Amino acid sequence: MKNITKLGAVSALSLIVGASAAFAENIKIGFIDPLSGPFASTGTNGLHQFEFSADYMVNQNGGVLDGTNFEIIGFDNKTSPKESLIQLQVAIDQGVRYIVQGNGSAVASALTEAIDKHNRRNPDSRVLFLNYAAVDPALTNEACNFWHFRFDAHADMKMDALTDVMAADEGITKVYIIGQDYSFGTAVSKAANEMLAAKRPDIEIVGDELHPIGKVKDFTPYSRKIVASGADAVITGNWGADMLGLGKSIIENGYTGPIYTYYAAGSGITAAFGETGKGVIRLVSEGQVNPPPTPEAAAFYDAFKVKYPDGNVDQTRISNVIGMLAAAIEEAGTADDVVAVADALSDMEFESMWGSTLKMRPADHQLIQNVHIAKHTDEGVTYTFDNSDFGVVVESTVEMASADIPTTCEMKRPD
Amino acid sequence: MDLILVNLIDGLVTGLLLFMLSAGLTLIFSMMGVLNFAHASFYMLGAYFAYSISIAVGFWMGLLIAPLIVGVAGAAVERFGLRRVHQYGHVPELIFTFGLALLIEELVQFIWGKNQLPYSVPDVLNFTAFAISGNSIPAYKIFMIFISVGIFIGLLYVLTKTRVGMIIQAALSYPRTVEALGHNVPLIFMGVFGVGTALAGVAGVIAGPVLGTFPGMAFVLGSIVFVTIVIGGLGSLWGALVASLLIGWITTFAKSYNIEMENILNAIGIATPENMDENLFRDFWSITSPQIADILPYILMVLILIFRPAGLFGKRTQ
């Protein structure tokens, strides 16, 4: 009698354990980005936006494939390509099949290459690489592969939109280009040179230089050169502490023209610029926060602020990644066969709540979307950043920017 | 010509800031033989404390109170941490300060978060002091120069003209003798450690608004401080000053002028190879001075170690 009770208890227990195990089999998404070091704030804010998007858009609506939840796991890569590859291996060993990364094109190139190799050698544990912010054009050109998808507009596309706006401004005659010394900084400089020469041959490039990434203590010598060059517009691809340091220093040392940037918002940067950045800092980006493009976007933002009162939704593309991945998994009917998911994703059209149609290009897995030029201001801001009075308000929009930009990608689909 | 003057001022500001950090470090090292890896972390703490205080009672109180708190924290670290570890030798001390640096960085992130903090220049000083052919010199920079020069003069006075300073100097070279004469050497150590960290705190308070207040700020400054005291000579206040200014000016000028390696090599009589594409040293030929500006101090350090191991003003020779 006693034994039977025991047996019953044990089998009941094992049933419960088995059931909960099946229920807890989340779709794991590995987030490989800096969570410590000079760029920790950018990485951590990205992680929060991923966690929130997964919860708010997927898990709270019953998950995908009848009740499977998304689970975001953060891996700290310290912005190092080498460390990222170690973390990639750790992530794959933990059962992660979807990698998201964005901070640093050097890291992204290392990852996309490693993932391509891994997928060829290990057909049973293939992974997809959803790149949400690394914008070196090479990733969807010569370095493209079937497993990599980019959800941000790449540097050339953004520069295309940016130079359209600059070309229309007759007041601009001298431009200074400065960036971080790595693949992305080089790409920005190259694109700016080529496009300005094509659109406004009369504009003179009075300076074009790169500085070490994450190591400059004081940007004063650089800003002196910018002021001395007589530039009336500055273009920079800097991000994180390098963006704030450079921007503050340029303004402080007497420059008054516009600074066209890729990443001068959020992560404390908006608050730190405050009044000094008003009328100077311009931002080219996808995704529109001010004025709120749709009621859903506003609801999303409000809910985010409830969970992270100190956070910003400064990377709207993150919720696009989650939304499109969920849709692709539903369409493929599986989350385990990443080839099927990639096929679904590779020609997807998706209506983003941030007010744009998103079209994935099958040829190079580059997302085509609206690109905006926004300005740093405290006027007409619905959603401010960093709990300051300041935020970014969209000034002009390029619809489906660079939809026909050529690519050198030769995509090989696995058999 | 005008730009040279502007660069001299900029380099001076950078150098003096570096001096405030290295002055404390060099005193601590020469006295206790401890390479304090956490020194730049106290600089970071200074900026963060000052930010929090400045929100409540304004920038000036922050400038006054934050270094005091940092100094007391530094003294406490010496009294309750380093002094216990001291008996086990230098390596445990080194590891202790290294761990402390990591701990402080994590603690700062835990309390203040990982974001850049909007710690900014007080309104009173937020104007252009004067301009040299279009290059404006912010009043805050002038203020930084005055503060650091004031601190240097004060420190020099205390160390060379007062009784306390004499005891400290004596304890630097002959701690046992000073102890035998009835002075409380451990207390002097604690005091020097406290004052040294407080100086780093001051540097943090005044550098935070211009160089940015973020958890990585200790990391970007950490190694250059050691380079400074090695170049200047361990334990020498004048050495720390000269080395700081030297580094400030070298890096500023290297970044301000695009001197290409090709020009330098041509000037010393080496002709540019005709076919650059296949040349083994192609990258070397195309180096420009802003690219290598930040490693110039390290090159200088290596040269100093080879030709004058005691440093520019160092007295110790072994």
Side-chain angles (χ1 to χ4, degrees):
Chain A
M1 187 62 210
K2 213 176 173 185
N3 277 345
I4 294 173
T5 324
K6 246 186 189 168
L7 190 70
V10 167
S11 48
L13 198 68
S14 60
L15 264 178
I16 293 168
V17 170
S20 60
F23 186 72
E25 201 55 55
N26 289 333
I27 297 171
K28 291 178 179 164
I29 301 172
F31 173 91
I32 303 184
D33 259 325
L35 299 173
S36 66
F39 299 118
S41 67
T42 320
T44 314
N45 293 331
L47 180 60
H48 286 164
Q49 289 173 61
F50 264 110
E51 285 169 344
F52 179 78
S53 299
D55 266 346
Y56 182 83
M57 298 170 66
V58 177
N59 300 352
Q60 285 177 16
N61 298 330
V64 290
L65 303 175
D66 300 323
T68 313
N69 282 347
F70 276 8
E71 180 187 353
I72 312 286
I73 309 173
F75 297 92
D76 181 12
N77 71 356
K78 305 181 178 71
T79 337
S80 140
K82 209 173 92 198
E83 186 72 22
S84 305
L85 297 185
I86 299 169
Q87 296 299 336
L88 171 68
Q89 202 50 55
V90 175
I92 292 173
D93 291 345
Q94 287 184 15
V96 169
R97 292 295 168 263
Y98 300 94
I99 298 290
V100 294
Q101 183 271 342
N103 294 329
S105 290
V107 172
S109 338
L111 278 179
T112 193
E113 200 178 306
I115 287 173
D116 190 31
K117 266 189 203 143
H118 169 88
N119 287 354
R120 261 185 282 140
R121 291 171 189 166
N122 309 280
D124 299 332
S125 64
R126 283 168 167 167
V127 294
L128 287 194
F129 177 21
L130 311 175
N131 162 9
Y132 71 92
V135 296
D136 183 352
L139 293 165
T140 47
N141 282 289
E142 60 269 26
C144 78
N145 65 50
F146 179 75
W147 315 104
H148 168 265
F149 292 85
R150 170 152 50 203
F151 292 81
D152 200 353
H154 68 59
D156 289 357
M157 302 163 77
K158 287 185 177 181
M159 186 56 72
D160 198 10
L162 195 57
T163 44
D164 278 350
V165 172
M166 291 177 75
D169 185 346
E170 290 298 327
I172 297 175
T173 54
K174 289 177 173 177
V175 173
Y176 202 104
I177 307 161
I178 181 166
Q180 293 153 317
D181 193 0
Y182 77 118
S183 54
F184 171 58
T186 319
V188 168
S189 151
K190 185 167 160 273
N193 273 305
E194 285 173 7
M195 291 178 189
L196 281 176
K199 291 175 191 172
R200 276 279 300 278
D202 60 308
I203 287 186
E204 186 193 348
I205 309 285
V206 289
D208 184 359
E209 76 173 317
L210 302 169
H211 64 77
I213 173 172
K215 291 199 178 67
V216 178
K217 294 175 287 294
D218 185 1
F219 280 96
T220 309
Y222 296 102
S223 21
R224 292 291 181 219
K225 272 193 278 187
I226 294 172
V227 174
S229 72
D232 40 31
V234 174
I235 299 177
T236 178
N238 277 17
W239 46 283
D242 282 346
M243 179 61 243
L244 183 63
L246 177 71
K248 269 187 119 172
S249 172
I250 297 178
I251 298 169
E252 219 162 65
N253 291 312
Y255 174 81
T256 49
I259 305 176
Y260 291 98
T261 76
Y262 281 57
Y263 298 116
S267 303
I269 293 180
T270 300
F273 269 124
E275 189 67 32
T276 50
K278 192 179 171 186
V280 177
I281 303 293
R282 297 283 196 290
L283 190 76
V284 56
S285 75
E286 53 31 272
Q288 171 177 349
V289 177
N290 290 307
T294 62
E296 295 90 69
F300 178 93
Y301 209 123
D302 290 334
F304 182 84
K305 281 306 251 188
V306 171
K307 184 155 186 205
Y308 298 106
D310 295 329
N312 308 311
V313 182
D314 49 9
Q315 302 189 64
T316 53
R317 51 192 177 269
I318 286 178
S319 58
N320 293 339
V321 173
I322 295 296
M324 288 182 76
L325 177 62
I329 288 175
E330 289 288 4
E331 193 184 320
T334 169
D336 300 325
D337 181 5
V338 297
V339 177
V341 176
D343 278 334
L345 205 52
S346 68
D347 58 351
M348 181 173 282
E349 262 198 60
F350 188 85
E351 280 303 323
S352 167
M353 63 177 151
W354 304 104
S356 172
T357 305
L358 312 174
K359 275 188 196 162
M360 189 60 82
R361 279 210 311 203
D364 56 353
H365 291 178
Q366 168 66 50
L367 196 68
I368 304 295
Q369 57 194 320
N370 295 352
V371 172
H372 312 278
I373 312 291
K375 63 174 181 215
H376 169 96
T377 179
D378 58 350
E379 288 160 17
V381 188
T382 314
Y383 293 107
T384 61
F385 282 163
D386 309 328
N387 291 339
S388 66
D389 296 331
F390 289 83
V392 289
V393 177
V394 167
E395 242 180 356
S396 49
T397 300
V398 181
E399 300 269 341
M400 297 315 258
S402 311
D404 51 359
I405 195 167
T407 174
T408 58
C409 175
E410 287 167 17
M411 185 81 65
K412 266 202 231 134
R413 202 191 163 282
D415 309 311
Chain B
M1 188 60 220
D2 294 337
L3 206 56
I4 291 181
L5 196 60
V6 173
N7 284 326
L8 278 176
I9 296 175
D10 289 340
L12 183 69
V13 174
T14 312
L16 286 175
L17 194 66
L18 206 52
F19 165 72
M20 274 199 274
L21 275 169
S22 45
L25 188 66
T26 200
L27 282 182
I28 291 170
F29 180 83
S30 55
M31 178 165 279
M32 310 166 72
V34 182
L35 259 186
N36 181 13
F37 274 108
H39 201 70
S41 307
F42 287 103
Y43 154 81
M44 172 160 74
L45 279 181
Y48 273 92
F49 284 144
Y51 166 71
S52 293
I53 296 170
S54 74
I55 289 178
V57 285
F59 176 84
W60 302 103
M61 288 308 278
L63 180 62
L64 210 64
I65 301 173
L68 284 180
I69 303 178
V70 174
V72 170
V77 163
E78 199 283 330
R79 174 67 185 82
F80 301 105
L82 268 179
R83 199 178 292 182
R84 282 161 197 250
V85 184
H86 187 69
Q87 52 189 309
Y88 302 108
H90 284 326
V91 174
E93 282 178 334
L94 209 69
I95 296 170
F96 173 78
T97 60
F98 195 72
L100 189 68
L102 297 177
L103 188 74
I104 290 178
E105 187 177 330
E106 289 301 319
L107 209 65
V108 161
Q109 294 189 10
F110 182 74
I111 299 174
W112 285 280
K114 294 176 178 181
N115 278 347
Q116 293 264 2
L117 290 187
Y119 180 32
S120 49
V121 174
D123 288 336
V124 196
L125 289 174
N126 203 358
F127 63 95
T128 303
F130 54 92
I132 302 172
S133 62
N135 292 285
S136 49
I137 309 290
Y140 193 74
K141 282 211 161 141
I142 307 296
F143 163 74
M144 284 168 85
I145 294 176
F146 274 111
I147 289 274
S148 18
V149 169
I151 283 178
F152 174 69
I153 294 173
L155 214 55
L156 203 64
Y157 177 77
V158 169
L159 278 180
T160 53
K161 301 280 182 221
T162 64
R163 206 179 140 71
V164 178
M166 305 219 177
I167 298 170
I168 290 175
Q169 283 200 324
L172 278 176
S173 340
Y174 305 105
R176 298 258 172 251
T177 318
V178 173
E179 206 161 21
L181 287 171
H183 293 290
N184 188 349
V185 170
L187 184 72
I188 297 175
F189 279 11
M190 190 176 91
V192 168
F193 202 92
V195 171
T197 48
L199 277 182
V202 178
V205 177
I206 63 174
V210 278
L211 301 188
T213 307
F214 58 104
M217 63 189 289
F219 176 77
V220 291
L221 221 61
S223 53
I224 195 77
V225 180
F226 288 105
V227 175
T228 314
I229 64 166
V230 171
I231 293 177
L234 297 168
S236 162
L237 203 60
W238 278 104
L241 180 72
V242 171
S244 304
L245 293 180
L246 205 59
I247 291 178
W249 278 321
I250 287 179
T251 48
T252 305
F253 276 98
K255 282 175 192 168
S256 299
Y257 296 95
N258 285 324
I259 304 163
E260 283 166 23
M261 189 59 87
E262 195 174 340
N263 299 347
I264 297 176
L265 290 176
N266 286 344
I268 58 169
I270 304 173
T272 311
E274 277 175 21
N275 194 348
M276 199 54 106
D277 287 342
E278 289 170 17
N279 195 293
L280 195 61
F281 300 107
R282 189 181 57 178
D283 288 339
F284 183 71
W285 277 93
S286 58
I287 287 176
T288 60
S289 62
Q291 280 180 304
I292 54 164
D294 286 319
I295 58 165
L296 286 176
Y298 296 88
I299 297 175
L300 185 64
M301 180 182 77
V302 172
L303 292 177
I304 289 278
L305 284 176
I306 293 172
F307 296 107
R308 202 181 150 79
L312 291 177
F313 288 75
K315 293 199 184 90
R316 274 192 205 174
T317 40
Q318 275 167 340

